[in-house]
Amino acid sequence: MSQGTIEERIKRGLSIVNACDSNRVTCRLLGGVAIAYLVRDVYVEAPMLSREPKDIDVAAHRRDSGKISRIFEGLGLKADARFNALHGAERLRFFDTQMNMRVDVFLDIFRESHVIELKDRLERFSPTLPPSDLLMTKFQIWEINEKDLKDIIAMLYKFELGDRDDMNTIDLNRIVELTSDDWGLYKTTTVNIERTMNYLNTIDLPGKVKDKVTNNLNKIREAMDKAPKSMKWKMRAAIGERVRWYETPEEA
């Protein structure tokens, strides 16, 4: 895996965000490219956490979908017309022939294993989603894999937990807000905290990396557990695991 390739993909992602900014359209990176942009200095210290992002994912407002399509076509991106006709209310898909990769656009919401509302989050941080939302897009994956676990670890080593999102801090309040209102998201996040802990024990990382990440995982779990829960959360918790609480990629 070449760091150059990662840098090229980050550069392409940033060029998409900048082209939208130039046209007064809000567009923010998410997914592997966004995380690589924020934590790339961690890869120097812990190269085993580095990975090559497969696609470029961005978030934008639904109201801007027409403008997004025009801007992307101007950048040489080819629209997936069938996908966009079927899913265009929530998601658009393009193909970047220059980079030979897919570009997915999430409109106002992020829907995979769970739904995360992004409409009021896009203007809060740039050029990526706020770090707390980025972390939750990883914690919400029921069928989590090694690359996602690496992303979680890299973020929880790079960032402190605090009461705001900035280049050094993850807003713990946002994680608590999301998981205190949605039992399913809480359940999946709790399971993935445990999976991340288990994965940490299997990889060769510097002790200080493991210590900080373990400490942050424990802090997140403790804050989630202590927080008051919504009535919706309590009603869904009463049903528990008898009914599946996550979507599969095919359904999403």
Side-chain angles (χ1 to χ4, degrees), residues 25-26 60-73 84 87-92 94 105-108:
V25 170
T26 303
H61 290 297
R62 184 176 296 129
R63 64 173 184 258
D64 291 329
S65 61
K67 292 177 185 174
I68 291 270
S69 294
R70 287 192 293 276
I71 293 165
F72 280 25
E73 283 160 17
N84 294 351
H87 304 284
E90 286 187 3
R91 194 164 170 178
L92 300 172
F94 297 83
V105 186
F106 292 85
L107 300 170
D108 284 342

Side-chain angles (χ1 to χ4, degrees), residues 11-149:
K11 188 175 174 185
R12 181 58 164 166
L14 292 173
S15 75
I16 291 170
V17 172
N18 292 337
C20 289
D21 282 348
S22 299
N23 285 276
R24 297 184 178 179
V25 170
T26 303
C27 175
R28 299 290 181 256
L29 288 169
L30 61 97
V33 171
I35 291 172
Y37 170 77
L38 292 176
V39 306
R40 57 198 188 281
D41 53 330
V42 168
Y43 298 157
V44 177
E45 206 172 332
M48 64 288 292
L49 296 177
S50 175
R51 69 176 190 86
E52 195 171 297
K54 197 172 60 176
D55 306 311
I56 294 175
D57 295 324
V58 299
H61 290 297
R62 184 176 296 129
R63 64 173 184 258
D64 291 329
S65 61
K67 292 177 185 174
I68 291 270
S69 294
R70 287 192 293 276
I71 293 165
F72 280 25
E73 283 160 17
L75 291 169
L77 303 181
K78 185 174 170 52
D80 182 335
R82 185 171 180 275
F83 181 93
N84 294 351
L86 286 169
H87 304 284
E90 286 187 3
R91 194 164 170 178
L92 300 172
R93 180 169 290 167
F94 297 83
F95 192 73
D96 186 344
T97 51
Q98 178 186 321
M99 297 293 293
N100 193 31
M101 65 196 303
R102 208 170 76 190
V103 180
D104 279 313
V105 186
F106 292 85
L107 300 170
D108 284 342
I109 69 167
F110 178 86
R111 181 192 298 277
E112 283 194 358
S113 300
H114 299 275
V115 173
I116 298 173
E117 296 284 343
L118 296 176
K119 189 174 182 179
D120 298 328
R121 305 293 297 170
L122 300 182
E123 276 78 21
R124 291 170 181 256
F125 197 78
S126 180
T128 72
L129 282 183
S132 59
D133 293 277
L134 266 185
L135 184 62
M136 288 307 298
T137 64
K138 293 294 173 178
F139 273 143
Q140 65 79 43
I141 303 169
W142 180 251
E143 295 174 351
I144 202 163
N145 60 32
E146 189 173 25
K147 69 179 174 61
D148 302 313
L149 293 167

